[in-house]
Amino acid sequence: MSKSVFYHAGCPVCVSAEQDVIDLIGQNNVQIIHLGEDKSKINEAEKAGVKSVPALVTPKGNVLHLNFGASIQDLKG
């Protein structure tokens, strides 16, 4: 993985965190995945270790859970 991956669900907390992540590491260094719009990516997020969103998965595979918007289980519903 060469880019960080930012997973979110579109809530106000997530949207704010998305902009902060882009400001911090740059648009070209992060892939944004909106799990509310693309539920097919939920399994991918879970396999990466994401438990709640917003979350940032670093290129080394570390998961940084930022604030708390929704649990990954809530997104499956």
Side-chain angles (χ1 to χ4, degrees):
M1 181 189 313
S2 60
K3 286 185 174 186
S4 293
V5 180
F6 181 75
Y7 293 97
H8 75 92
C11 67
V13 169
C14 292
V15 172
S16 176
E18 174 185 353
Q19 191 56 58
D20 286 342
V21 166
I22 290 170
D23 289 347
L24 286 169
I25 65 176
Q27 180 74 49
N28 294 332
N29 297 315
V30 63
Q31 177 184 4
I32 307 295
I33 298 179
H34 187 310
L35 296 175
E37 294 177 350
D38 190 356
K39 292 191 181 285
S40 69
K41 298 286 187 176
I42 291 174
N43 285 339
E44 172 188 306
E46 282 185 305
K47 286 179 185 174
V50 174
K51 304 285 186 213
S52 65
V53 292
L56 182 71
V57 180
T58 69
K60 292 184 179 181
N62 294 311
V63 180
L64 308 175
H65 290 94
L66 310 171
N67 211 328
F68 184 83
S71 78
I72 201 83
Q73 295 302 318
D74 291 341
L75 297 174
K76 290 180 176 183

